[in-house]
Amino acid sequence: MVVVQDIAGVRDLCSAARADGKRVAVVPTMGALHEGHLVLVDRARSKGQFVVVTIFVNPTQFGPGEDLSRYPRDLEGDVAKLEQRGVDLVFTPNVGDMYPNGHATTVHVSGLTEHLCGAQRPSHFDGVALIVAKLLNIVGPSTAVFGRKDYQQLRVIRRMVRDLDMPIEVLGVPTVRDADGLAKSSRNAYLGPKERERALAISRGLTAAHYAFGSGERRVDELLGAVEAFVKVSADAIDYVTAADPETLEPLPRHAICSERLLLAVAARFAGTRLIDNTVIGEDSPPLARESRR
Ligand code: AMP
């Protein structure tokens, strides 16, 4: 495995891999890697003979007052984990190379970015779309792998790749969770034991909604209520608990009746740490087995 910082070096290695007839698969990350990221790496390996992981804490996707400066970083630990997982190339660019003075181009995916996290983090998805477009242009993969944990991000990237005619297959991998249901996240490192326990309300709430749906409940009001019943009593603040169309991400009114599939998405704060989670009812497995949901 090689770790490369410069853009030209990565281009050369990826071109050489393609010239060798290898399919290139990439996993973009911000580092502080956990098993959720590594499952993406395994998926990439199943699709490509040359696996690239990018590690870059992208400043343009953080808003003012967000956690850019204290975002967890552990390059040495990350590199060791990726080596064990059989990665070929780790790309660790620096901010100055990715955003040279005078950079002036934006990538905006309209519509999908207006809802859910986009409503509260207005420039976040522009930053995500820009950096992912740049990374894909540098690496030139056949496949790019993302987590359904960031469901809105996955939809935005799929749309960008389609709209810009990038010849890349975008794969979404189911959310990897701790045994107690908490979705794995680099930001979980911010949680103390008490907040972590309270944060389980999110996956418990999403699970309760799954089982309500399984029992025939189709009223959005009731399904949302099932999630809220858990999250409201545990979170310090709720950014949103939303039912939405899984394709357009348009929120559904509470009086709606849902059809085959329904996105339930949560963003909530626990002692200042903002956590997100989601499930697509009718498609994803419930976060928890029924018997352990309380
Ligand atoms: P991040 O480093 O948080 O930007 O995440 C990099 C990639 O890993 C994104 O595609 C995320 O959706 C994905 N990811 C993060 N956490 C998980 C998880 N618990 N399960 C699956 N994918 C994840």
Side-chain angles (χ1 to χ4, degrees):
M1 186 177 88
V2 285
V3 181
V4 181
Q5 224 185 356
D6 71 295
I7 293 173
V10 170
R11 273 195 202 289
D12 288 348
L13 288 165
C14 292
S15 302
R18 282 191 300 274
D20 266 2
K22 293 179 176 160
R23 285 171 61 89
V24 176
V26 68
V27 182
T29 80
M30 296 205 300
L33 301 180
H34 50 68
E35 190 58 24
H37 297 111
L38 299 178
V39 168
L40 269 54
V41 170
D42 294 345
R43 191 80 181 92
R45 171 56 72 204
S46 76
K47 300 295 286 190
Q49 297 82 38
F50 191 76
V51 174
V52 181
V53 174
T54 70
I55 298 179
F56 182 61
V57 181
N58 173 36
T60 64
Q61 71 189 70
F62 288 79
E66 293 187 356
D67 57 345
L68 173 62
S69 60
R70 66 181 192 114
Y71 194 83
R73 287 168 168 85
D74 177 20
L75 186 56
E76 214 176 297
D78 291 347
V79 166
K81 287 174 189 158
L82 295 176
E83 182 133 46
Q84 272 203 337
R85 224 66 174 207
V87 167
D88 297 287
L89 168 60
V90 185
F91 179 32
T92 59
N94 61 47
V95 174
D97 286 345
M98 292 309 276
Y99 296 113
N101 279 341
H103 78 90
T105 300
T106 54
V107 180
H108 179 69
V109 178
S110 61
L112 290 175
T113 58
E114 283 158 23
H115 312 296
L116 304 170
C117 290
Q120 273 135 2
R121 305 180 75 194
S123 57
H124 171 69
F125 287 110
D126 289 358
V128 169
L130 176 60
I131 195 62
V132 173
K134 286 165 71 71
L135 293 169
L136 296 178
N137 279 337
I138 293 165
V139 172
S142 314
T143 302
V145 186
F146 296 87
R148 286 172 68 92
K149 156 83 168 36
D150 299 273
Y151 185 86
Q152 187 172 19
Q153 170 174 282
L154 172 64
R155 305 270 4 149
V156 167
I157 289 162
R158 277 194 203 286
R159 181 64 56 84
M160 177 190 76
V161 163
R162 190 198 73 175
D163 289 353
L164 297 181
D165 304 300
M166 295 177 168
I168 299 168
E169 169 192 40
V170 176
L171 292 180
V173 172
T175 302
V176 177
R177 298 174 182 281
D178 286 334
D180 57 11
L182 186 68
K184 286 185 185 281
S185 165
S186 306
R187 290 189 169 99
N188 291 352
Y190 299 147
L191 300 171
K194 287 193 180 130
E195 287 104 45
R196 198 193 169 289
E197 177 61 31
R198 284 196 284 126
L200 296 177
I202 301 177
S203 49
R204 288 174 179 161
L206 295 173
T207 301
H210 259 278
Y211 286 105
F213 184 91
S215 311
E217 183 59 75
R218 294 293 181 273
R219 289 169 294 179
V220 165
D221 192 31
E222 292 295 319
L223 294 166
L224 270 180
V227 186
E228 286 165 347
F230 283 84
V231 180
K232 274 189 173 160
V233 295
S234 299
D236 296 312
I238 296 179
D239 283 8
Y240 61 79
V241 175
T242 300
D245 181 298
E247 301 302 319
T248 65
L249 310 185
E250 299 249 6
L252 297 177
R254 292 195 82 104
H255 60 76
I257 301 294
C258 75
S259 51
E260 296 301 294
R261 290 161 71 242
L262 177 73
L263 170 65
L264 291 172
V266 177
R269 292 171 195 263
F270 298 83
T273 299
R274 183 177 184 278
L275 299 180
I276 59 169
D277 201 350
N278 72 84
T279 192
V280 179
I281 292 186
E283 182 174 345
D284 291 332
S285 308
L288 287 162
R290 181 174 208 135
E291 57 273 17
S292 57
R293 74 186 151 113
R294 272 171 200 277

